[in-house]
Amino acid sequence: MARPLSYEREAVLEQAMRLFWRQGYEATSVQDLVEATGLNRASLYNAFGDKRGLFLAAIERYQSVTSCGRLSALEAEGPALAALRRYFEELIAFSLGDGRRLGCLMTNSAIEMAPRDPDCAERLRDGLARVEDAFYRLVRRAQSQGEIAQARDARALARFLLGLVQGLRVLARLDPQEDRLRDLVETGLSALTGNATGTAPLDN
């Protein structure tokens, strides 16, 4: 079978991404990938080199489609913190619904692969750096709008938000209880603004 056409490649990557997201790298066999994607082994190797090559391509797709798509909501016009709140509302809804016990593919892969695969670790660091940068831009916008004090370190707050998201995704993968996830986010947003009581709670 010839190399998949571009639209077929995207469909293959989507199926592979979902499989790696659900099972992890080691628990996913080449036969699992054959069955999930509809490619035979020869076509899979021809298109992606090997299982690791397909995994790295699936990580790239996750970053460019899933992660970046969610982060684009942070650029919405209007108050920056309202955009951030909507971001977390969507993340909680996903974690309790279609994404229940999936966690974040980048976080899952960092835990599983980064200690023994430097190339994979580098790609994951780049992906998380893009998330941090998106939060940095949002914090700076919130500061310009008077929602966050100018004296706060915007880069440090962006890193705090990155850690908050990763912690939420790990907790949601392990024990997806809505009240726990909302408590985590509310406390995080309160710390962001320096408001001990927080802002209006996330919509239930």
Side-chain angles (χ1 to χ4, degrees):
M1 184 183 297
R3 182 182 297 272
L5 298 174
S6 58
Y7 70 90
E8 294 175 329
R9 179 183 176 86
E10 293 306 306
V12 166
L13 284 176
E14 180 68 20
Q15 293 304 316
M17 180 191 77
R18 291 182 178 277
L19 188 60
F20 285 126
W21 195 354
R22 187 169 61 250
Q23 297 184 179
Y25 180 79
E26 289 296 342
T28 299
S29 67
V30 173
Q31 184 58 37
D32 290 335
L33 292 166
V34 166
E35 294 173 2
T37 64
L39 289 183
N40 60 39
R41 288 174 181 252
S43 295
L44 189 151
Y45 291 138
N46 181 54
F48 300 100
D50 54 15
K51 171 184 164 181
R52 182 175 176 277
L54 179 52
F55 174 73
L56 293 176
I59 289 288
E60 182 177 343
R61 177 175 177 80
Y62 180 88
Q63 292 175 347
S64 63
V65 176
T66 304
S67 181
C68 289
R70 186 173 286 124
L71 288 171
S72 66
L74 297 177
E75 308 291 340
E77 294 184 4
L81 291 187
L84 181 63
R85 182 168 288 274
R86 288 192 297 270
Y87 170 88
F88 277 111
E89 287 172 350
E90 194 282 331
L91 199 57
I92 289 176
F94 177 77
S95 298
L96 297 172
D98 292 343
R100 190 175 183 85
R101 295 194 183 279
L102 282 178
C104 168
L105 180 57
M106 288 195 293
T107 305
N108 300 346
S109 300
I111 294 170
E112 181 183 9
M113 301 291 290
R116 54 190 173 81
D117 190 326
D119 185 42
C120 180
E122 182 65 24
R123 295 181 187 221
L124 293 168
R125 279 195 295 270
D126 289 345
L128 292 178
R130 288 194 289 272
V131 177
E132 180 186 312
D133 287 343
F135 284 134
Y136 175 78
R137 292 191 297 272
L138 178 130
V139 171
R140 293 292 294 159
R141 197 168 106 231
Q143 289 177 318
S144 71
Q145 294 172 342
E147 295 185 304
I148 296 176
Q150 290 284 352
R152 304 291 299 277
D153 185 330
R155 180 58 66 179
L157 291 178
R159 289 168 178 160
F160 168 76
L161 287 171
L162 175 63
L164 179 62
V165 170
Q166 299 310 304
L168 186 151
R169 303 302 295 274
V170 171
L171 186 61
R173 181 173 171 85
L174 175 66
D175 188 16
Q177 295 184 33
E178 183 173 3
D179 59 341
R180 298 182 71 184
L181 301 183
R182 291 186 179 279
D183 283 347
L184 178 64
V185 171
E186 285 301 331
T187 302
L189 294 182
S190 297
L192 190 69
T193 60
N195 180 359
T197 59
T199 55
L202 293 172
D203 295 334
N204 288 300

